[in-house]
Amino acid sequence: MSSTATEVVRLLTVKDRTLAVAESLTGGLVAAEITSVPGASKVFRGSVTAYATELKHRLLGVDATLLAQRGAVDPQVAAQMAAGVRTALGADWGIATTGVAGPDPQDGQAVGTVYVAVDGPSVDGDGSASGGKVRRLRLNGDRAEIRMESVRSVLALLLAELAGEQTGNERAQDTERNGGF
């Protein structure tokens, strides 16, 4: 279990929030990392491993036209996967991974092209999600390295969003607990 996954579970628990995961190239590794943390059952709703492109549409609600035109390795696909799993599994936060781990290119995308996304609850009155973010990664390494870095990256993106969601009082408490840092 990673310290990032531990901190994600801790913040979700403190905030009384839940998480759902949509995975493609990581094939369940993100869910495994989260569930390796003791207490994850308090916050983790579940995951959908939509490896096949048509499952991204059928199970996660990704726009079929978008998939047909751009393929599964696309920033909008990642964003829709995160939002879709959040809705499908009834979670406060959704995260997603899609990309090419290799050995061959896919949908015109080079090996190592990955998109990670996070979708979270609205924190303002305009209905926008505080966590509606997508990050493009250009990763090097073999298939296993690309997949593991995708896991690390999506959890880091979620952690940044969760930390940004904290109120001033929660930040002060965290600072106090962490010795003023």
Side-chain angles (χ1 to χ4, degrees):
M1 108 188 81
S2 72
S3 61
T4 304
T6 300
E7 185 63 7
V8 162
V9 169
R10 186 192 75 76
L11 282 176
L12 288 167
T13 302
V14 166
K15 296 168 179 292
D16 195 28
R17 301 281 193 178
T18 57
L19 174 65
V21 176
E23 300 187 65
S24 187
L25 84 149
T26 49
L29 293 173
V30 177
E33 190 69 16
I34 292 289
T35 59
S36 72
V37 178
S41 61
K42 294 175 190 163
V43 299
F44 186 67
R45 297 279 302 154
S47 65
V48 174
T49 301
Y51 211 67
T53 299
E54 74 271 7
L55 294 180
K56 291 170 181 64
H57 168 68
R58 199 162 13 125
L59 299 177
L60 300 171
V62 176
D63 182 81
T65 303
L66 174 66
L67 288 166
Q69 291 176 346
R70 297 196 192 163
V73 184
D74 181 83
Q76 286 182 307
V77 171
Q80 288 184 22
M81 287 173 65
V85 78
R86 183 177 167 220
T87 300
L89 301 186
D92 298 304
W93 289 90
I95 58 177
T97 62
T98 188
V100 186
D104 300 314
Q106 177 187 338
D107 297 332
Q109 300 289 335
V111 172
T113 303
V114 175
Y115 293 94
V116 295
V118 61
D119 188 77
S122 176
V123 293
D124 52 29
D126 72 1
S128 66
S130 66
K133 298 246 183 348
V134 177
R135 180 165 294 147
R136 180 183 192 269
L137 308 173
R138 185 66 188 105
L139 304 175
N140 295 312
D142 65 20
R143 182 175 173 79
E145 290 167 328
I146 290 168
R147 294 173 76 216
M148 288 313 299
E149 185 55 36
S150 299
V151 171
R152 285 188 288 273
S153 295
V154 77
L155 290 175
L157 183 60
L158 175 60
L159 182 58
E161 290 302 302
L162 288 169
E165 184 190 43
Q166 290 182 309
T167 65
N169 187 44
E170 287 171 327
R171 281 193 200 107
Q173 289 172 356
D174 273 354
T175 301
E176 191 174 303
R177 275 194 294 272
N178 291 318
F181 296 104

